[in-house]
Amino acid sequence: MPDDAAARLPIDRALGWILAHLDLFDPFRGGRPFAIKHGQRLGEIAILLHAYTGITGERESPAMGRIVSLLESVRARRELGDRLLRSPAELVLFVEIYAALRSVGHDDPGDRVLIQRALDARLPQQLERLPHRMMDIASCLEWGGFAHRWPSLRRLYGASILGATPSALLLSEDGMYGLTHVLMYLYGFGLRRASIPRRQRESLRRLLSMLLVGVGQDRHWDLLAELLLCWEAIGYPPTALADRAWEALLAAQQEDGSIPGPEWARPIYEAASRDVRQDAEGVREAYFAHHYHTTLVAIIAACLRRRNLAAPAARSRQRRPARAPSPGLAPPVPGLREASAAAAGWLQGVLDTLCRAPGAPAEDLYRTLLGLHFADALAATGAVPEAARRVASRLAGAPPAAATAAGPAPADGPGTRAVRAPSPALTFCAAALLAGEGLFVPGLHAPAGLPAAAARLLAQLPEDYGDGAGADGAGEAPELYEKRALLAAMGLLPAPRGLDLAPVLTRALALPLTAPWEAWDDLLQRIDAATACGVRPPRWLAGDPGRIDLEQLLAGKAMHLLRRYDLPRGARMLRGMAYLGLTGEPWRDCLRFLLLHQRLDGAFGFYGLEERKLREAAPGFCATLDLSLVVTVECLWTLAESTGWRLLASFPPARLDGPAVPAPRRRRALPRPQRRLRREDLRVC
């Protein structure tokens, strides 16, 4: 935790930047006529004055004096004041300015009379407003001490987006802004004593945690600052995740003290700067527009954090909940069996098409067979033996006897696609499934096949040969663990040793909130190696804060991926959570999200928006095989493993009589390779 000086430094830097740009808050700057977008800035700095002085008590500071002078000079302009009774939409701006100045001893009786007259005439009621906009008015009227018939903050809260805790998976950016504004107005930016309903305290804390991860991943600094302000205003205690969010926000602070807006808006700011590159004032205005709001919000949030860190006893009412260790996976979400049966029907249709198409790629055959294996684990479809026979026959080049004329192949079928080599992991899974059905495919089961050749290569390498990866013993590239484990399941290698879990968890809890996908992928591979891909789940102690922090982090990232509609990576993250036993409500929410996005034909993912772009970018792209099949198999894999079933433990013993595919044993003599296999060949994902 930072000491007071460290907590104060970013506040002073940000406030210094605000004061250096105070003229840009003046709606009449340079003689320009009043515009509401410039008036909005004035209202926001009025809120900063009210919140900053209320939190810190620094009412007489020179910095606040400069803001007071700006507000008073603007308030004296008739061009602004005469709008009060003529523009109901702008009433909140006048109340904000009046209440802020009144809070620091600069009351204006004339303004008060006019505002009260507008309230008595029911001017605010003449416009339709969203609940959080109505809460803005209610909060300002409370600050100003006005008599009114406006709905209370408590009543408006119940009608707002937080009347029932929303889903972090389904919230849009506008929804998140609505949520943060409801909380900011309810708590008066940390100055108002309020409380959310008791039934909602934990679900809201969980929601905010998930959103902190997602907006941190998106580098949406404006929303991150607002979420942290809400966290501190409610009085939630510090957590590892909240501290990490603060680290990310403060790391985004520029040398001049400002904090930029959302990353997605940076190109807009940069384009505006280029358009006015010959005008220094225009460049300054564009920079200000992108930075000022986040900087204002961050100042208030940081002041609340500094206050809360100095008075931890006041936050004891918001204790972190104790959690008992989970005895196993949570009950699976409803609808898994029906979803899997529908997906199996779609996969069988894909297999029919592949078996009729000339030159069907092995990758698609392997993936379809594996998908049917996952569906069978959930719905006991019994489709795997026949599918395995058809795949083996197709791979051998003979027409499958079970293939039937089920109509023409789809327009985006496999005929025009570029052929890719299947990944090693996919190849090993297919080889194990076919061997379990007693089917011999020379390219897979002969000594020269990839599984045997890979086993010979890995048998010659120590599992930990040291590349300076760290103290967790992961000298070998982590992605090789899965290959070793699959080959061990086939009886071609001893079971890999894997990693110790403790260093992996330490690595996870040190992961920055803004880490790129490569860092998350590396973490997931290490989780695989530490849990034997879920076959060896960890034991957690009751109330272990590490478990709670890790669950929030991984669930937040899973939700971030699913919100971005990256279903395969989101599903991969959920499997890592299942392997660690982190199967609480956020994890189940994500499973329900996957089921929500199953199409009526049984496949997963509504990707019509992306298909046009992919067809334009990749000639020969097949929406069914290159997109729907990949997504569906990944989703089925995650849903199957959500029940406690594990892929590594599911492969049946090989039933081949020939010497090419031996019976599974812990150790065996391996024939010499007939072709040279590079280590890099096993790293293709």
Side-chain angles (χ1 to χ4, degrees), residues 233-302:
I234 294 171
Y236 286 140
T239 65
L241 182 59
D243 289 344
R244 202 173 320 188
W246 272 111
E247 291 171 5
L249 181 65
L250 296 179
Q253 189 172 32
Q254 308 294 296
E255 287 296 324
D256 60 9
S258 67
I259 302 177
E263 192 71 21
W264 64 260
R266 180 182 292 275
I268 301 174
Y269 146 66
E270 292 175 345
S273 296
R274 286 193 296 270
D275 290 343
V276 294
R277 58 185 178 276
Q278 303 302 326
D279 180 358
E281 280 302 299
V283 173
R284 181 169 176 257
E285 168 69 31
Y287 185 90
F288 174 80
H290 183 60
H291 291 72
Y292 88 91
H293 184 265
T294 307
T295 307
L296 286 177
V297 174
I299 290 172
I300 300 173

Side-chain angles (χ1 to χ4, degrees), residues 155 195 217 632:
R155 177 181 169 189
S195 63
Q217 281 283 290
T632 298

